[in-house]
């Protein structure tokens, strides 16, 4: 009896996903709760686990294909049924070389490569099919190295590069004819050769969604950015004094992000417009503080949300951010963990950014950009001193936040960071 592998519910307003990669091959043994396939949505990457044991009998949705909620991705059969399916396939391939006599060994291998590409032609991934169609290639002539004899994008690229090299090598064996040098300039077609050295990769659903949301923010909000700089001396001194004791007691490192989260909450309480959003003709003021923390991953930028951050101490904030960082790197963030933030903090300083203008995360009305801490000469009490300084940037929606409110917000953050005692005394 076969069990269908279904596309699960993906979350609110998400009805479609892309098959990122299969973690099991047809014929592999499957146990209950084994991860079978990774699905990529416009927000997260999630695994579909086996609901029954047996063997993977059939894959109905290839990697790169789009599937809707409730669609069948493949089927799991019980062990006995799958053995019967897999074994004949192996035996059918085995008799060919075994049955042929010794003199005909050379002809048997010749037939195998021809069969493999023709079978693979019917199961080309969408990205591979697109490359083949755009370049007018015959898939039967391309050596396949993928599983089950399927063509991969790398196979197509390697084949195209091989074609680009052969014409250049061809004139070498025939130097005698005079017309040969005249024919050389006609061969290097600039755009054609450059196209052969390009790689076309389909955008992930996450990257597509990031692009859509960023463009939506630019097209919808009246974005403006205000800047300030903050002296990090006191925060760094406090951190250096207590970081070892903090880590020993709480089991997590004391970073700067918890200071900025608490400082932003302090400022949001004073300037509630920065914690609000526009809904049609209404202004929605949030009386809670769910702070989004931007995290870079190999697949793109994600923004998990620290819920009710105003009710958390420094250790709880650091633990939550560290956990989100691990989940983001492993692609384990859930939809619930990435929705519903009221304000966002982005730290481009970890990548060396000295200054930037962050883009809003709709429907939020404000985002704080942190940057690299660098020692710079500054005037302190009439004297020039070298201090660790950081530029801060607040991008905000001018439709709801006035310039006075934006500047005041940023000044409050600056004051709390330069004098961390304010965070403890709530002043």
């Amino acid at each position: 009896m076969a069990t269908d592998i279904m596309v699960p519910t993906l979350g609110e307003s998400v009805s479609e996903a892309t098959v990122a990669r299969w973690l099991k091959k047809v014929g592999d043994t499957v146990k209950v709760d084994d991860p079978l396939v990774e699905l990529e949505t416009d927000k997260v990457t999630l695994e579909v686990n086996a609901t029954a044991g047996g063997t993977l009998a059939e894959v109905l949705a290839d990697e790169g294909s789009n599937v809707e909620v409730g669609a069948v991705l493949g089927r799991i059969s019980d062990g006995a049924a799958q053995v019967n399916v897999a074994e004949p396939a192996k035996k059918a391939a085995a008799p060919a070389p075994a049955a042929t006599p010794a003199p005909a060994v050379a002809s048997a291998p010749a037939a195998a490569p021809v069969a493999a590409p023709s079978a693979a032609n019917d199961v080309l991934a969408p990205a591979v099919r697109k490359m083949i169609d755009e370049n007018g290639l015959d898939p039967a002539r391309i050596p396949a190295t993928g599983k089950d004899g399927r063509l991969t994008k790398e196979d197509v690229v390697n084949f195209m590069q091989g074609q680009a090299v052969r014409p250049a090598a061809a004139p070498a064996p025939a130097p005698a004819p005079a017309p040969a040098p005249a024919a050389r300039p006609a061969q290097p077609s600039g755009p054609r050769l450059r196209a052969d050295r390009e790689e076309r990769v389909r955008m992930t659903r996450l990257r597509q969604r990031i692009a859509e949301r960023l463009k939506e923010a630019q097209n919808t909000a009246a974005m403006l950015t205000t800047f300030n700089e903050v002296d990090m001396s006191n925060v760094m001194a406090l951190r250096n004094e207590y970081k070892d004791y903090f880590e020993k007691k709480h089991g997590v490192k004391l970073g700067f992000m918890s200071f900025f989260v608490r400082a932003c909450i302090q400022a949001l309480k004073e300037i509630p417009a920065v914690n609000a959003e526009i809904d049609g003709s209404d202004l929605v003021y949030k009386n809670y503080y769910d702070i989004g923390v931007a995290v870079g991953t190999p697949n793109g930028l994600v923004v998990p949300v620290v819920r009710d951050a105003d009710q958390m101490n420094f250790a709880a904030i650091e633990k939550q951010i560290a956990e989100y960082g691990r989940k983001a790197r492993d692609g384990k963030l859930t939809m619930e963990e990435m929705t519903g933030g009221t304000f966002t903090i982005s730290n481009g300083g970890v990548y060396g950014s000295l200054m930037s203008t962050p883009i809003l995360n709709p429907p939020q009305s404000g985002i704080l950009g942190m940057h690299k801490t660098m020692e710079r000469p500054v005037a302190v009490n009439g004297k020039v001193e070298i201090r660790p300084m950081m530029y801060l940037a607040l991008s905000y929606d001018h439709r709801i936040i006035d310039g006075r409110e934006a500047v005041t917000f940023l000044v409050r953050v600056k004051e709390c960071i330069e004098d961390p005692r304010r965070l403890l005394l709530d002043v």
Side-chain angles (χ1 to χ4, degrees), residues 31-106:
K31 297 179 181 178
V32 176
D33 290 333
D34 274 358
L36 299 176
V37 58
E38 285 185 353
L39 298 181
E40 186 179 75
T41 72
D42 55 11
K43 294 183 179 180
V44 295
T45 298
L46 57 97
E47 291 179 349
V48 178
N49 296 332
T51 57
T55 52
L56 183 59
E58 190 176 7
V59 171
L60 300 178
D62 290 331
E63 294 179 0
S65 59
N66 294 331
V67 290
E68 295 183 352
V69 173
V72 179
L73 297 168
R75 292 189 174 89
I76 300 173
S77 66
D78 57 31
Q82 179 56 30
V83 169
N84 294 336
V85 173
E87 286 301 320
K90 294 179 181 177
K91 292 178 181 178
T100 49
V105 169

Side-chain angles (χ1 to χ4, degrees), residues 193-207:
L193 288 182
R194 293 191 181 277
D196 291 342
R197 293 184 299 181
E198 295 175 351
E199 181 182 2
R200 184 181 295 271
V201 179
R202 184 179 182 180
M203 290 176 68
T204 63
R205 297 188 70 85
L206 176 60
R207 175 55 61 186

Side-chain angles (χ1 to χ4, degrees), residues 266 270 412 415-416 419-427:
Q266 195 88 339
E270 182 175 343
R412 292 295 177 267
E415 291 173 347
C416 289
D419 186 2
R421 295 173 296 180
R422 287 176 172 268
L423 300 175
L424 303 177
L425 300 176
D426 194 22
V427 296

Side-chain angles (χ1 to χ4, degrees), residues 383-415:
K383 297 180 181 179
V384 176
E385 296 186 12
I386 303 299
R387 296 290 183 93
M389 305 296 293
M390 175 192 289
Y391 288 117
L392 297 179
L394 175 70
S395 291
Y396 60 97
D397 190 343
H398 211 343
R399 296 177 302 168
I400 184 173
I401 302 170
D402 294 332
R404 177 188 61 82
E405 294 173 314
V407 172
T408 302
F409 175 92
L410 202 53
V411 169
R412 292 295 177 267
V413 173
K414 169 185 170 70
E415 291 173 347

Side-chain angles (χ1 to χ4, degrees), residues 117-390:
S118 61
N121 294 346
D122 299 330
V123 290
L124 291 177
V128 176
R129 168 62 64 187
K130 186 175 182 181
M131 293 179 65
I132 289 175
D133 292 343
E134 289 179 348
N135 292 277
L137 302 176
D138 180 3
R141 297 180 55 197
I142 305 175
T145 62
K147 65 177 183 180
D148 302 326
R150 297 180 182 178
L151 285 177
T152 65
K153 290 183 291 185
E154 290 76 11
D155 295 335
V156 179
V157 171
N158 292 338
F159 181 77
M160 293 169 62
Q161 289 177 342
Q163 281 189 325
V165 171
R166 290 193 197 98
R184 294 174 75 96
Q187 282 186 338
S189 157
R192 173 65 179 174
L193 288 182
R194 293 191 181 277
D196 291 342
R197 293 184 299 181
E198 295 175 351
E199 181 182 2
R200 184 181 295 271
V201 179
R202 184 179 182 180
M203 290 176 68
T204 63
R205 297 188 70 85
L206 176 60
R207 175 55 61 186
Q208 292 178 43
R209 184 57 175 163
I210 290 173
E212 290 171 2
R213 288 179 63 82
L214 294 179
K215 193 58 183 173
E216 174 190 347
Q218 286 186 322
N219 293 340
T220 303
M223 279 202 303
L224 194 63
T225 304
T226 184
F227 300 92
N228 212 320
E229 62 178 356
V230 57
D231 186 345
M232 298 289 290
S233 299
N234 291 333
V235 165
M236 293 177 69
L238 182 63
R239 177 177 177 271
N240 289 335
E241 183 176 355
Y242 290 104
K243 65 179 181 180
D244 294 336
Y245 180 76
F246 184 92
E247 184 174 2
K248 182 178 180 181
K249 180 177 181 179
H250 299 291
V252 65
K253 292 183 178 180
L254 176 60
F256 295 127
M257 188 60 75
S258 55
F259 288 94
F260 278 93
V261 170
R262 292 293 297 273
C264 285
I265 292 171
Q266 195 88 339
L268 289 171
K269 289 180 177 179
E270 182 175 343
I271 313 294
V274 185
N275 201 46
E277 68 179 53
I278 295 178
D279 183 13
S281 59
D282 297 331
L283 300 180
V284 182
Y285 290 91
K286 310 294 181 68
N287 297 318
Y288 53 91
Y289 305 92
D290 291 349
I291 308 301
V293 179
V295 178
T297 72
N299 294 326
L301 188 72
V302 294
V303 187
V305 178
V306 180
R307 308 283 179 189
D308 294 317
D310 58 314
Q311 302 175 21
M312 304 170 68
N313 58 22
F314 282 80
I317 293 173
E318 292 290 354
K319 287 179 181 179
Q320 185 71 82
I321 293 174
E323 181 184 358
Y324 281 155
R326 287 191 295 269
K327 284 188 172 183
R329 288 189 294 271
D330 297 337
K332 303 296 184 181
L333 284 171
T334 65
M335 203 76 67
E336 292 74 18
E337 291 170 333
M338 294 173 47
T339 55
T342 62
F343 182 81
T344 295
I345 301 175
S346 177
N347 185 6
V350 296
Y351 304 109
S353 172
L354 186 60
M355 183 177 288
S356 66
T357 55
I359 298 179
L360 292 174
N361 183 21
Q364 297 172 22
S365 299
I367 178 172
L368 179 76
M370 299 166 54
H371 299 93
K372 183 180 180 180
T373 301
M374 290 187 63
E375 290 189 341
R376 295 198 299 271
V378 294
V380 180
N381 297 325
K383 297 180 181 179
V384 176
E385 296 186 12
I386 303 299
R387 296 290 183 93
M389 305 296 293
M390 175 192 289

